[in-house]
Amino acid sequence: MGLYNDTVMDHFMNPRNVGEMENPDGVGTYGSPVCGDMMQIQIKVEDDVIKDAKFKTFGCGSAIASSSMATSMIIGMTIDEALEISNKQIIEELGGLPAVKIHCSVLADHAIKAAIYDYAQKNGKTYAGLEGFDPDADEDEHEHEDIEE
Amino acid sequence: MRNVYMDYSATTPVKEEVLKEMIPYFTENFGNPSSLYTPGLTAKEGLDLARERVAGLIGAEPSEVYFTGCGSEADNWAIMGIADKFKDKGNHIITSSIEHPAILRTCEYLEKHGFQVTYLTPEKDGRILPETLEKAITDKTILVSVMLVNNEVGTIEPVKELAEVAKARGILFHTDAVQALGNVPIDVKELGVDLMSMSAHKIYGPKGVGALYIRKGLRFPNHIFGGGQEMGRRAGTENMAGIVGFGKAAELAKAGLSEHIAHSENLRNRLIEKVTAEIPDTCVNGTMEHRHPGNANITFKYIEGESILLLLDACGISVSTGSACSSKSLKPSHVLTALGVPVEMIHGTVRFTVGDFTTEEDIDYVVDNLKKIVARLRELSPVSAEKGW
């Protein structure tokens, strides 16, 4: 029994959608190496549908696996659908993560929103799902909690 | 697939010779060493021999060695016992910020119960200077505890010099020698320490047995109450097979010490040379001058340690990391933090420790796989030497 389940390990060992695009329509990053996890997502959008997504992630196994899963999930989705993706859904698609790792996937849903926000800004678009979203919001919500050994 | 174990500081395999001496104590020599009939006396002989052997490894009298359940218990007992005994004399304890949690958590507990603790910060090379200790001593100081060898970066602390400073002021000195035992020559009389913690499973002995050296004449309260085992100072029927195994491991460690050090250093240096030469943007943490012979603590910039660990594991290679993500506390290593290593670099730190069963082929296998793994993770990373952090 490893730390992660087979789906997580598959997405970690063989991550989908790794890399950077020539001319992305939107780019979002979230986290920082100081935090231990940082994710960058690029998207290609046509008629409000996400045609392609690429990611680059600095982080642990679950951060990489959740980046891979999140990008796989949003390709083919409309922007409105992608904006509804939650951290919880990504974890469910991965078949669960160890409790101490849950914070890592928060990166993916925030990074997706940040990439769509960038796209919306560049193209003068507004989406209901972006209401109140601040791409530079401070990262309190994934502050590491101390767990006594 | 090849299996390469490179985490000897976490634990070591029990050597065949050790296991062989242990086995009879589960079966034919099952007697209780406190019993006065023949099977009891046979067990008592095994217990005495083990005590002599452990004492022999550290230059102590057998009567100064008390077996415990582990190194952590020895640490806890020493700190709590001295604090209890001398609480009316003073409430100040000095330790370092790079100790094992068995020391740090015990000190934190005492802080909640009226004690004041000073955590000495090491120099950039990981060493605690005697001057730093000198300055921290007050008229309330009753105990100084500084480890002999650090578990993460392998730094050998100047314990002899530190103990001299404490002794000159009439203060007791404890050292956690769990990582040092069997890896550096130890003579408790020459070191001048009053108390020293040890563990069997770091020196090719079994898990579940440790020992505390207590200098002759030093008395303080017990922490486990019951029967008169361990010369009346640590109750509980002895873990006979474990203690016998510890004794045999200590005997082997003493006989093979210089060979073990030369073998480990040679392979460790080969690893460090190859990794730093063949993989860009890597650096070694901690001084090379005063170092555990088998320890290599290496930062791989722009990538994260748990990912490295998982990919190495997939190649059959076992290592540990200073990364927060792979620790249960999710906090980056307190040792590397104390050494001034930037947090983003701590996340990409891996500890390799080699030992008696490591071979040159193992080192080359690890380096070959590391090259591929580091390149692969850097491909995945949004940060790089060009882009910066």
Side-chain angles (χ1 to χ4, degrees):
Chain A
M1 248 321 272
L3 175 59
Y4 299 119
N5 68 40
D6 291 347
T7 310
V8 177
M9 279 310 283
D10 178 39
H11 276 268
F12 169 69
M13 298 297 288
N14 312 293
R16 284 65 146 174
N17 314 309
V18 175
E20 284 176 326
M21 296 174 187
E22 281 285 320
N23 294 302
D25 295 321
V27 183
T29 57
Y30 191 57
S32 77
V34 174
C35 267
D37 297 291
M38 177 183 177
M39 181 181 181
Q40 169 190 294
I41 285 194
Q42 297 182 326
I43 51 168
K44 201 89 184 159
V45 183
E46 263 173 50
D47 302 329
D48 268 9
V49 173
I50 296 173
K51 287 288 177 192
D52 197 12
K54 294 274 182 219
F55 83 88
K56 279 203 164 191
T57 291
F58 169 99
C60 60
S62 61
I64 290 170
S66 62
S67 302
S68 167
M69 179 57 86
T71 47
S72 304
M73 285 164 76
I74 61 168
I75 294 172
M77 276 187 177
T78 66
I79 296 248
D80 288 320
E81 285 166 345
L83 284 169
E84 273 174 29
I85 285 187
S86 68
N87 167 35
K88 199 169 159 248
Q89 272 174 282
I90 297 165
I91 296 168
E92 273 168 15
E93 287 292 320
L94 285 168
L97 284 173
V100 295
K101 295 287 184 178
I102 296 295
H103 78 282
C104 301
S105 298
V106 177
L107 290 187
D109 88 348
H110 195 113
I112 291 167
K113 284 195 178 70
I116 294 173
Y117 181 87
D118 181 50
Y119 167 76
Q121 290 283 307
K122 284 176 181 163
N123 295 279
K125 297 198 172 208
T126 50
Y127 297 100
L130 278 177
E131 208 169 307
F133 176 76
D134 176 2
D136 304 316
D138 86 40
E139 294 164 16
D140 273 354
E141 56 178 322
H142 86 277
E143 271 292 294
H144 297 166
E145 271 178 49
D146 189 20
I147 293 160
E148 283 290 322
E149 278 169 62
Chain B
M1 187 174 61
R2 200 182 176 95
N3 277 309
V4 177
Y5 182 74
M6 271 203 196
D7 204 12
Y8 281 80
S9 279
T11 193
T12 58
V14 172
K15 284 187 173 167
E16 286 294 336
E17 305 96 298
V18 171
L19 180 64
K20 212 174 141 199
E21 289 208 13
M22 288 172 68
I23 286 173
Y25 287 86
F26 289 108
T27 51
E28 64 257 42
N29 298 346
F30 70 92
N32 187 325
S34 297
S35 303
L36 298 177
Y37 39 74
T38 306
L41 298 176
T42 308
K44 180 72 166 55
E45 275 173 30
L47 181 61
D48 290 344
L49 176 62
R51 202 183 307 280
E52 277 168 36
R53 284 167 163 177
V54 173
L57 179 60
I58 60 168
E61 297 291 324
S63 62
E64 295 173 310
V65 172
Y66 298 85
F67 290 112
T68 62
C70 56
S72 293
E73 186 196 325
D75 280 342
N76 276 246
W77 181 20
I79 306 288
M80 298 290 282
I82 296 300
D84 189 6
K85 165 109 178 186
F86 295 101
K87 59 181 182 289
D88 295 329
K89 192 179 161 206
N91 68 341
H92 184 228
I93 292 168
I94 300 173
T95 185
S96 83
S97 58
I98 59 168
E99 296 297 310
H100 187 273
I103 295 290
L104 295 176
R105 298 292 99 81
T106 306
C107 287
E108 285 162 18
Y109 174 84
L110 286 171
E111 282 182 291
K112 287 179 193 151
H113 291 82
F115 282 83
Q116 293 195 325
V117 181
T118 301
Y119 300 90
L120 304 176
T121 306
E123 300 303 298
K124 279 259 183 281
D125 68 357
R127 306 244 296 172
I128 308 283
L129 295 180
E131 301 91 273
T132 312
L133 171 60
E134 185 85 60
K135 281 183 217 147
I137 293 175
T138 72
D139 55 1
K140 296 276 186 219
T141 311
I142 53 168
L143 175 68
V144 177
S145 177
V146 176
M147 67 206 324
L148 188 47
V149 170
N150 179 266
N151 49 313
E152 289 189 37
V153 287
T155 305
I156 303 171
E157 296 297 333
V159 164
K160 184 171 187 260
E161 290 74 15
L162 295 167
E164 269 169 22
V165 171
K167 201 172 187 178
R169 304 283 293 265
I171 300 162
L172 292 171
F173 197 100
H174 165 261
T175 189
D176 175 342
V178 168
Q179 293 293 340
L181 196 71
N183 285 304
V184 296
I186 298 176
D187 184 314
V188 284
K189 306 297 168 190
E190 207 187 299
L191 277 178
V193 297
D194 300 291
L195 301 132
M196 187 174 87
S197 304
M198 298 167 267
S199 177
H201 77 101
K202 311 282 191 190
I203 64 162
Y204 310 94
K207 292 161 188 64
V209 56
L212 181 63
Y213 158 79
I214 306 174
R215 177 182 47 77
K216 194 176 278 176
L218 178 58
R219 296 209 63 93
F220 53 90
N222 292 352
H223 69 305
I224 296 181
F225 302 97
Q229 292 89 354
E230 294 302 295
M231 300 159 274
R233 300 181 73 167
R234 198 273 190 186
T237 300
E238 297 84 350
N239 168 11
M240 278 306 300
I243 289 169
V244 165
F246 192 4
K248 183 63 183 176
E251 185 197 53
L252 294 174
K254 189 182 180 186
L257 187 61
S258 47
E259 203 184 326
H260 164 79
I261 292 174
H263 173 80
S264 303
E265 266 180 354
N266 174 36
L267 294 175
R268 187 270 315 274
N269 293 346
R270 183 185 177 92
L271 176 71
I272 287 181
E273 279 156 25
K274 291 191 95 163
V275 167
T276 52
E278 295 175 30
I279 305 177
D281 299 310
T282 51
C283 58
V284 178
N285 300 303
T287 175
M288 286 308 293
E289 204 183 333
H290 307 278
R291 197 180 189 111
H292 179 295
N295 174 290
N297 185 293
I298 303 175
T299 295
F300 299 90
K301 291 186 197 170
Y302 315 118
I303 53 177
E304 199 276 336
E306 189 205 82
S307 295
I308 304 173
L309 182 149
L310 289 171
L311 291 174
L312 283 171
D313 186 40
C315 302
I317 300 165
S318 308
V319 299
S320 69
T321 148
S323 149
C325 253
S326 52
S327 74
K328 284 182 194 151
S329 71
L330 292 179
K331 278 184 176 171
S333 150
H334 68 287
V335 175
L336 296 170
T337 303
L339 262 58
V341 180
V343 187
E344 62 275 23
M345 288 185 35
I346 295 177
H347 290 303
T349 299
V350 176
R351 180 188 72 180
F352 304 86
T353 37
V354 302
D356 286 354
F357 301 108
T358 313
T359 64
E360 277 195 8
E361 291 72 32
D362 289 339
I363 300 290
D364 297 347
Y365 178 76
V366 169
V367 175
D368 283 347
N369 282 288
L370 257 179
K371 277 198 269 191
K372 291 176 207 157
I373 288 166
V374 171
R376 176 172 165 182
L377 289 171
R378 282 185 178 157
E379 274 292 311
L380 260 169
S381 178
V383 286
S384 63
E386 298 77 42
K387 291 182 186 169
W389 293 100

